[in-house]
């Protein structure tokens, strides 16, 4: 199990770095898909099987296809995107790196939390998640559907051609 | 299930991914890759939620529920952001963030 964790973590971090450093947006999308698949593996390690499947369906199935589609539509598959200046890059490394250092130092000195075994290993499956979702978390669940409707209406409104102007 | 792995490893993995995302957000010029960096950041936060759920309250669902909500919000955000990007492309015929400077003065 530990070996699996190290493998998945290495794949996730390397592909995340490749997303940021590769020049062409198409390569970025492909590496992001690899990164998301390894994150789904982490979810299974963390006993959240249902969430892993949802993650694969939503991210690699829907969002990444949308990204690829837009890249093809806008004809961006050229690899000559200029990066920002050296100063911006150094500033970004310092900004990210310092806070990362603080976080890692904080987790090193933290109190060790021992992993507890759940009473039931089927805890992350559909049945239990659904029962909790429709009993304990019913209100936020319904509010998220309102969020989806507003996002859908907003996307259609923004994507629509303005007929008055033309 | 994974009693051999300490919680800190998951936290360190999540924070490394978070800051890779921040770096991409600050250095890329293409709006689509900026959006992809934001997705990386959201996913690292999700790993944190699930790890704490597994290690602190393995019999409850709060962390998994937050992860589900984050995935939903990320999907909605990606849809709206891509609609905005297509509008920007129509208006400026580029999605380089340095060329879109009409609101800058």
């Amino acid at each position: 199990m530990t070996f699996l964790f190290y493998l998945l973590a290495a794949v996730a971090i390397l592909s995340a770095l490749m997303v940021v450093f590769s020049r062409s947006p198409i390569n970025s999308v492909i590496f992001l898909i690899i990164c998301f698949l390894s994150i789904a593996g982490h979810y299974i390690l963390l006993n959240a099987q249902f969430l892993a499947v949802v993650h694969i369906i939503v991210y690699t199935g829907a969002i990444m296809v949308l990204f690829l589609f837009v890249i093809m539509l806008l004809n961006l598959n050229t690899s000559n995107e200029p990066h920002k200046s050296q100063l911006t890059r150094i500033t970004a490394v310092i900004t990210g790196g310092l806070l990362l250092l603080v976080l890692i130092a904080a987790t090193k000195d933290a109190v060790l939390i021992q992993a507890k075994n759940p009473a039931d290993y089927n805890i992350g499956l559909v049945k239990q998640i659904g029962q909790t979702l429709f009993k304990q978390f019913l209100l936020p669940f319904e509010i998220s559907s309102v969020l989806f409707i507003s996002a859908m209406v907003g996307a259609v409104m923004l994507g629509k051609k303005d007929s008055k102007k033309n | 299930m994974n009693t051999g792995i300490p919680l800190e490893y998951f936290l360190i993995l999540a924070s490394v991914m978070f800051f890779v995302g921040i770096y991409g957000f600050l250095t890329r010029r293409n709006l689509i890759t900026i959006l992809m960096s934001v997705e990386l950041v959201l996913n690292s936060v999700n790993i944190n939620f699930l790890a704490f759920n597994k290690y602190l309250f393995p019999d409850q669902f709060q962390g998994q529920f937050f992860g589900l909500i984050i995935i939903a919000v990320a999907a909605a955000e990606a849809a709206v952001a891509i609609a905005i990007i297509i509008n920007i492309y129509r208006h400026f015929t580029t999605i380089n963030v340095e060329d879109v400077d009409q609101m800058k003065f």
Side-chain angles (χ1 to χ4, degrees):
Chain A
M1 206 57 89
T2 317
F3 169 73
L4 203 59
F5 171 79
Y6 282 125
L7 183 72
L8 285 173
V11 171
I13 289 177
L14 283 180
S15 52
L17 284 173
M18 287 307 291
V19 169
V20 173
F21 287 120
S22 65
R23 291 268 161 141
S24 137
I26 294 278
N27 285 346
S28 285
V29 170
I30 301 295
F31 281 114
L32 197 58
I33 288 173
I34 297 171
C35 185
F36 283 161
L37 287 178
S38 59
I39 289 173
H42 280 295
Y43 288 176
I44 293 174
L45 277 184
L46 287 167
N47 217 352
Q49 296 93 335
F50 174 68
L51 219 63
V53 176
V54 167
H55 186 265
I56 289 177
I57 291 173
V58 172
Y59 273 104
T60 48
I63 295 182
M64 286 301 113
V65 171
L66 195 65
F67 277 28
L68 269 182
F69 183 72
V70 170
I71 287 171
M72 297 296 182
L73 192 72
L74 304 189
N75 208 4
L76 293 173
N77 46 356
T78 50
S79 55
N80 54 2
E81 182 210 343
H83 275 245
K84 282 194 181 171
S85 65
Q86 202 72 29
L87 183 68
T88 318
R89 269 196 265 180
I90 292 171
T91 318
V93 166
I94 291 173
T95 317
L98 281 181
L99 201 50
L100 176 66
L101 213 64
V102 170
L103 274 184
I104 287 180
T107 47
K108 259 189 77 179
D109 290 342
V111 183
L112 267 172
I113 299 171
Q114 292 297 326
K116 283 177 278 187
N117 282 323
D120 183 7
Y121 277 121
N122 295 327
I123 193 102
L125 292 184
V126 183
K127 189 179 170 191
Q128 275 91 340
I129 291 257
Q131 277 175 352
T132 317
L133 213 57
F134 282 102
K135 283 175 186 163
Q136 199 181 349
F137 297 112
L138 184 62
L139 182 65
F141 181 70
E142 296 293 342
I143 289 176
S144 71
S145 71
V146 177
L147 170 76
F148 267 122
I149 289 206
S150 56
M152 204 170 72
V153 172
V156 171
M157 280 297 293
L158 283 170
K160 200 175 61 155
K161 264 212 172 104
D162 200 356
S163 53
K164 269 181 284 179
K165 229 192 278 179
N166 300 327
Chain B
M1 202 164 157
N2 60 336
T3 42
I5 307 163
L7 174 62
E8 291 84 36
Y9 289 9
F10 282 105
L11 298 186
I12 287 173
L13 167 74
S15 43
V16 169
M17 277 188 56
F18 187 90
F19 290 107
V20 170
I22 294 282
Y23 176 81
F25 185 77
L26 290 175
T27 52
R28 297 307 292 263
R29 286 173 158 173
N30 191 335
L31 267 175
I32 293 209
T33 37
I34 288 176
L35 197 60
M36 284 194 267
S37 309
V38 173
E39 302 287 335
L40 269 181
V41 170
L42 285 171
N43 274 290
S44 70
V45 173
N46 228 343
I47 290 179
N48 258 7
F49 271 120
L50 288 181
F52 276 114
N53 185 25
K54 158 83 177 152
Y55 280 81
L56 289 179
F57 307 108
D59 290 322
Q60 288 170 349
F61 284 105
Q62 274 87 352
Q64 297 198 14
F65 178 73
F66 266 97
L68 206 60
I69 291 289
I70 286 176
I71 289 178
V73 170
E77 168 248 332
V80 174
I82 279 182
I84 292 174
I85 287 173
I86 288 178
N87 250 359
I88 286 175
Y89 186 78
R90 264 193 212 141
H91 201 267
F92 293 97
T93 62
T94 177
I95 57 167
N96 188 337
V97 284
E98 309 216 323
D99 297 337
V100 184
D101 54 358
Q102 221 170 48
M103 285 178 75
K104 203 160 77 175
F105 65 94

